[in-house]
Amino acid sequence: MNATVSIKHVVIVGGGFAGLACARKLAKSNEVRITLIDKNNYNQFQPLLYQLATAVLGTDDVATSLRESFLGQTNVAVKMCEVTAADPKTRTVTTRDGMTYQGDFLVLAAGSQANFFGTAGARENAFPLYSVEEAQRLRSRILSVFEDADREPKLVEQGALNIVVVGGGPTGVEVAGAVADVVNHTMTREYPDLAVQNARVYLIDHGHALLAAFPVDAHDYAARALQRKGVQLKLGTGVKEVRPDRVLLSDGTSIPTRTVVWGGGLMASRLAADSGLPRGRGGRIEVGADLSVEGFPGVYVLGDFANIPSAEDDTLPQLGSVAQQSGVWTAKNILAEVAGKPRTPFHYHDKGIMAMIGRDAAVAAVGKKRHELEGFIAFAAWIGVHALLMNGVRAKVEAFIDWAWSYFTKSAPIQVLDRGDEGQIDWDEGKSKAA
Ligand SMILES: Cc1cc2nc3c(=O)[nH]c(=O)nc-3n(C[C@H](O)[C@H](O)[C@H](O)COP(=O)(O)OP(=O)(O)OC[C@H]3O[C@@H](n4cnc5c(N)ncnc54)[C@H](O)[C@@H]3O)c2cc1C
């Protein structure tokens, strides 16, 4: 009886890298029970979303069932619903359907969403890449414009096949490389009647270097690797406006396109504004070194949703490895609190960062050293790093098969337009504007 009474309830919002790692670690303890809430019933693997968008991987390679992750785990309840508000004083969250969940501990790990920095038309017309749904929308758009132009070749003159990627960080560089590969290898083969050679992939950034977070000589390497694939770089150039049929740039020029991929910045997901907690840069929640929030006992915030202090007096970057480790650390601190022991400050073990530039080039930074990897070695190293982070054996095996197929055949195997393009392409409108 006493044992039952002392079991503490931990409510976790977000089943991404951070929330899932926290729940997994806590689930091993019989002193807590966990309610894991996510607006989806799956865990999504964000680092691979661009491969879903470019048809290299399928949805089930990048999304795994949260319920399956906790099969037979009687102290974990998974609830699929969107949390719309949080009361950190009582550690209670309210969901869109009016349910409330109250915990002895509240863990907020709701991740990121695109930050459009107020750019006109970007919210309406650009394609961000932070969820499975967004990646599916982008894939539908890319396939739709090629299908439409194949029937009506005049659309090519309207820029139908141009793809503009905004942002020269790892997301933008990886997307631009992958899109260029798909255009160069898959589309040329699959659309023999279409002037695919007129397709242009652009990468735009208002800064003057790609991969700014990497060591300096990685910047040039990334630029050269992308240019080899035909990507046109427009650095030192900002995006002024995204229209349905073109993007207007700060240098006064414009690029006709129906596909603008937004990798231009991220901020805490919407719940942060309704969490009643102190926010800082990127709208993220300010946390202490132990990942708790000062003044709100029992509340922890982690992963992309938090500004986590780093040893260098700055904050840690928004990375899967930071999120995963912060999840495990939070679980340890909660179990310490349950046992009446002190919490300890989060120590991030930095194993380095890596960006894949298409199928045959990658750059990795470990400490201050930069490593360039080419060809199969690059591909194999990248797979190794990502397979380790992936959730579930089945997803890993399926992804391996798709990756291998894609690498050796130089094709994107999932070229299936299985959902409509919701982006309202109005080609007539495009014609009149372009005229
Ligand atoms: C295209 C891309 C490539 C990347 N590549 C890399 C890489 O190579 N290496 C690396 O380390 N990192 C990479 N990252 C960053 C990494 O994916 C993130 O740092 C990581 O996903 C953050 O984990 P998280 O758990 O904080 O948030 P997420 O993984 O975003 O999880 C948040 C969860 O919260 C849920 N949620 C949000 N709001 C609510 C709500 N109101 N109610 C209920 N549920 C909610 C979401 O559905 C989601 O499941 C990449 C990111 C992107 C977008």
Side-chain angles (χ1 to χ4, degrees), residues 204-233:
I204 298 171
D205 196 291
H206 55 66
H208 290 273
L210 298 176
L211 298 180
F214 284 65
V216 171
D217 41 5
H219 306 174
D220 289 341
Y221 174 75
R224 283 196 310 273
L226 285 176
Q227 281 166 331
R228 267 202 312 270
K229 292 176 187 295
V231 176
Q232 315 232 339
L233 301 180

Side-chain angles (χ1 to χ4, degrees), residues 342-378:
R343 301 187 296 254
T344 52
F346 174 47
H347 175 73
Y348 173 55
H349 180 44
D350 186 357
K351 296 180 194 152
I353 45 178
M354 186 173 190
M356 188 80 189
I357 312 167
R359 59 188 285 284
D360 49 10
V363 59
V366 183
K368 293 201 183 330
K369 289 212 174 106
R370 185 247 325 129
H371 303 275
E372 293 165 7
L373 307 163
E374 304 273 0
F376 186 76
I377 303 273

Side-chain angles (χ1 to χ4, degrees), residues 147-347:
E147 292 296 347
D148 289 355
D150 186 55
R151 291 191 314 277
E152 175 53 279
K154 276 191 200 152
L155 299 181
V156 179
E157 291 156 31
Q158 292 178 28
L161 304 185
N162 293 340
I163 297 174
V164 175
V165 180
V166 182
T171 300
V173 167
E174 291 197 328
V175 173
V179 166
D181 279 350
V182 166
V183 170
N184 295 339
H185 301 299
T186 307
M187 299 314 200
T188 42
R189 227 169 10 205
E190 297 207 353
Y191 296 88
D193 300 332
L194 183 60
V196 175
Q197 70 276 9
N198 291 335
R200 296 281 175 273
V201 179
Y202 296 87
L203 179 58
I204 298 171
D205 196 291
H206 55 66
H208 290 273
L210 298 176
L211 298 180
F214 284 65
V216 171
D217 41 5
H219 306 174
D220 289 341
Y221 174 75
R224 283 196 310 273
L226 285 176
Q227 281 166 331
R228 267 202 312 270
K229 292 176 187 295
V231 176
Q232 315 232 339
L233 301 180
K234 280 185 158 281
L235 300 180
T237 310
V239 172
K240 265 175 57 187
E241 186 178 345
V242 183
R243 293 191 180 163
D245 63 339
R246 62 190 53 242
V247 56
L248 310 189
L249 304 179
S250 60
D251 60 5
T253 61
S254 74
I255 302 170
T257 178
R258 301 288 174 149
T259 314
V260 177
V261 187
W262 194 266
L266 76 175
M267 60 194 282
S269 68
R270 196 175 316 135
L271 177 63
D274 299 314
S275 68
L277 291 168
R279 293 190 296 149
R281 193 152 48 115
R284 290 179 281 270
I285 310 295
E286 300 286 1
V287 297
D290 59 8
L291 305 170
S292 70
V293 187
E294 199 184 338
F296 297 95
V299 176
Y300 290 85
V301 185
L302 26 150
D304 277 14
F305 206 56
N307 279 326
I308 302 176
S310 75
E312 289 80 34
D313 247 8
D314 196 357
T315 53
L316 291 172
Q318 282 65 56
L319 285 174
S321 46
V322 173
Q324 202 172 46
Q325 291 180 37
S326 67
V328 173
W329 203 279
T330 295
K332 283 187 196 159
N333 272 343
I334 288 175
L335 294 176
E337 282 202 64
V338 170
K341 294 182 185 157
R343 301 187 296 254
T344 52
F346 174 47
H347 175 73

